[in-house]
Amino acid sequence: MKRKLISAIGVAGMMISLAACGGDGGDKAGADGYAGETLTVWVMDGSSPDQWQKDVQTAFEKKTKAKVKFEVQQWNGIQQKLTTALSEENPPDVFEIGNTQTPAYAKTGGLADLADLKTEIGADWTASLNESSIFDGKQYAAPWYFANRVVLYNKKVWADAGIKDTPKTRDEFYADLKQIGEKTDAEPIYLPGQNWYHFVGLTIGEGVQLVKEQDGKYVSNLDDPKVAAAMETYKKFQALSKAPKDKDEATPQQGEVFGKGNVGAFIGMGWEAGIAIKANPKIEKEIGYFTIPGATADKPEGVFLGGSNLAVAAGSKKQELAKEFLKIALSDKYEGELAKLNGVIPNKEALQSNLKGNVVAEAAAPAAAGGGTTPLIPEWAAVENAPNPVKTYMTAVLNGKSPAEAAKQVEDEFNKRLAQQQ
């Protein structure tokens, strides 16, 4: 998926914007290592700062005697470009891949099995972050970095309502928003009807997926009572908002709405603070962040985890050298450096100390262990195409249909998309 990375500066967030072949032919460790070889690594625009690339390159070349060539790619059109590259004789050896895209490439045989790498360096990768790297029980990638939604709130509005602390539970969050509505003229929360990534987070919190396997194929699971419970939670909070029920968070940009200064809170990515500040620079000092509260204080709300994995092309002729690169790039030293520089969640909970001082990342990190993604199946991709039936379902419920009625309304289209050939 397309993402923008955030790094907190003061109280504001801002955009910053891997057909099997033979391997290397054995262990080349020794005085000359892999001297004379060059490893090609594709990274996406904004993912890896110049300093991180420089430091990893120095460590890699010192250890292996080989060169590494970073090639920065654009998100627009990357899936077709990568699909083509993986089918050619000389694909990139290592490449960044969106976490939700990983299963599709694994299914087609484009990714090398990294089980040995997982055994060697991945014993303590956070399970929720590593989930998207696994397909059919095999490790086809390695978790790299992640981000998730938080609550962005207007400190002045909350103070005007007499609220002195941020909420720790879902009920406290709702009560605070109601108090804002009762004691101020501000809109308590801006929550459009189709902020479906937040809805996915709520279903993750309920422990349910949006699809299920039935008679050997995937079908809609929107009629599950746990999905209905997640939608009822969404509906309860959305009732406190004036946002349209048939629009998403980008129509209009919710950061722009928040930037006007008369909204108590919204649920979004940390970088959306930059949108608010661009619309109204004076609001910067008023923006605060906190973890989306869950049903109990000891467990944050479920969140959708957007992020990237690193993979090795099955067609790479430099498999062992590629794994040497990953051992360095994913080491505690350089994984921690990336987290610190980009304000992203690292692949191990033990490395979250690198986020200290980054207010956005500190708010996001507690929810990562309990987060998840859309269903990790190749068939899912077609579901997200417009008009997204999940969005249609949400709007139908918000407009008065029961969750069961809304699920029935979109079931045929949902299942038709899941049945498309991949």
Side-chain angles (χ1 to χ4, degrees):
M1 63 175 293
K2 183 176 181 179
R3 294 163 307 284
K4 296 177 182 177
L5 309 179
I6 55 90
S7 178
I9 297 179
V11 297
M14 73 175 254
M15 286 185 277
I16 315 175
S17 312
L18 242 166
C21 291
D24 288 344
D27 187 1
K28 293 189 179 181
D32 294 330
Y34 297 84
E37 296 194 26
T38 298
L39 193 77
T40 300
V41 178
W42 281 14
V43 291
M44 302 309 299
D45 184 30
S47 293
S48 55
D50 292 344
Q51 185 63 52
W52 184 88
Q53 289 187 24
K54 180 180 178 180
D55 293 344
V56 170
Q57 182 177 18
T58 298
F60 175 78
E61 294 182 358
K62 180 178 179 180
K63 179 181 180 182
T64 67
K65 314 302 182 190
K67 301 292 184 182
V68 60
K69 181 181 180 183
F70 286 101
E71 296 184 354
V72 177
Q73 307 296 320
Q74 301 300 314
W75 285 107
N76 187 31
I78 188 57
Q79 293 195 54
Q80 183 57 52
K81 184 173 182 179
L82 183 56
T83 297
T84 300
L86 292 178
S87 69
E88 294 175 342
E89 185 176 350
N90 293 302
D93 302 297
V94 179
F95 56 91
E96 176 182 351
I97 186 172
N99 59 339
T100 60
Q101 298 168 359
T102 304
Y105 287 102
K107 182 179 180 179
T108 61
L111 311 184
D113 189 334
L114 300 180
D116 53 346
L117 186 78
K118 171 68 166 66
T119 299
E120 186 170 350
I121 68 169
D124 53 350
W125 287 339
T126 303
S128 61
L129 305 182
N130 186 51
E131 187 177 2
S132 65
S133 292
I134 301 170
F135 182 72
D136 279 351
K138 295 183 179 181
Q139 188 82 32
Y140 282 108
W144 192 22
Y145 68 82
F146 302 86
N148 54 261
R149 283 159 180 78
V150 297
V151 179
L152 295 88
Y153 74 105
N154 186 316
K155 295 177 182 178
K156 183 180 184 302
V157 170
W158 286 56
D160 289 347
I163 304 169
K164 300 183 183 301
D165 200 5
T166 55
K168 301 300 184 289
T169 68
R170 187 189 297 158
D171 286 345
E172 289 177 3
F173 186 23
Y174 182 77
D176 286 347
L177 295 175
K178 279 198 71 177
Q179 187 167 322
I180 290 171
E182 293 165 357
K183 296 191 174 183
T184 76
D185 293 328
E187 182 177 1
I189 185 171
Y190 184 83
L191 183 60
Q194 297 184 347
N195 188 341
W196 79 286
Y197 281 117
H198 175 50
F199 170 61
V200 168
L202 295 175
T203 66
I204 291 166
E206 293 286 347
V208 65
Q209 288 275 358
L210 297 182
V211 302
K212 61 186 176 183
E213 194 167 3
Q214 181 175 288
D215 299 327
K217 61 182 179 182
Y218 291 105
V219 298
S220 170
N221 195 36
L222 289 177
D223 61 355
D224 189 292
K226 291 183 178 180
V227 174
M231 190 60 220
E232 291 293 357
T233 296
Y234 192 102
K235 182 178 181 178
K236 179 179 179 179
F237 280 82
Q238 206 280 328
L240 299 175
S241 176
K242 299 176 183 177
K245 295 178 173 62
D246 60 349
K247 304 296 183 193
D248 63 20
E249 67 277 14
T251 317
Q253 286 287 348
Q254 59 184 4
E256 293 181 353
V257 178
F258 181 79
K260 295 177 181 178
N262 202 39
V263 171
F266 74 99
I267 294 170
M269 303 298 290
W271 56 262
E272 291 180 82
I275 297 175
I277 295 165
K278 183 177 180 180
N280 177 16
K282 292 181 180 180
I283 202 171
E284 179 173 359
K285 67 181 184 298
E286 304 296 349
I287 302 177
Y289 311 83
F290 59 85
T291 309
I292 305 173
T296 58
D298 61 333
K299 186 178 180 182
E301 187 59 85
V303 291
F304 174 82
L305 295 168
S308 284
N309 301 321
L310 289 176
V312 175
S316 170
K317 300 178 177 65
K318 302 169 185 174
Q319 301 268 329
E320 296 307 315
L321 184 57
K323 292 175 185 178
E324 290 299 323
F325 172 84
L326 291 179
K327 291 174 189 177
I328 293 171
L330 299 171
S331 66
D332 287 0
K333 180 176 181 178
Y334 297 112
E335 181 76 4
E337 180 183 8
L338 183 70
K340 184 176 293 186
L341 291 172
N342 265 7
V344 290
I345 298 169
N347 60 19
K348 299 179 183 181
E349 290 185 66
L351 296 177
Q352 289 182 7
S353 59
N354 290 279
L355 302 175
K356 187 174 182 179
N358 184 319
V359 292
V360 181
E362 286 185 319
T373 67
T374 48
L376 293 168
I377 56 174
E379 294 86 352
W380 176 259
V383 176
E384 295 191 20
N385 294 332
N388 184 333
V390 179
K391 290 184 174 183
T392 304
Y393 162 84
M394 295 173 68
T395 295
V397 174
L398 296 176
N399 281 333
K401 288 196 173 185
S402 71
E405 290 173 328
K408 186 67 175 177
Q409 175 183 328
V410 302
E411 182 179 64
D412 288 345
E413 178 61 24
F414 201 118
N415 292 343
K416 177 182 177 182
R417 296 185 184 206
L418 288 171
Q420 291 180 15
Q421 294 297 314
Q422 306 300 312

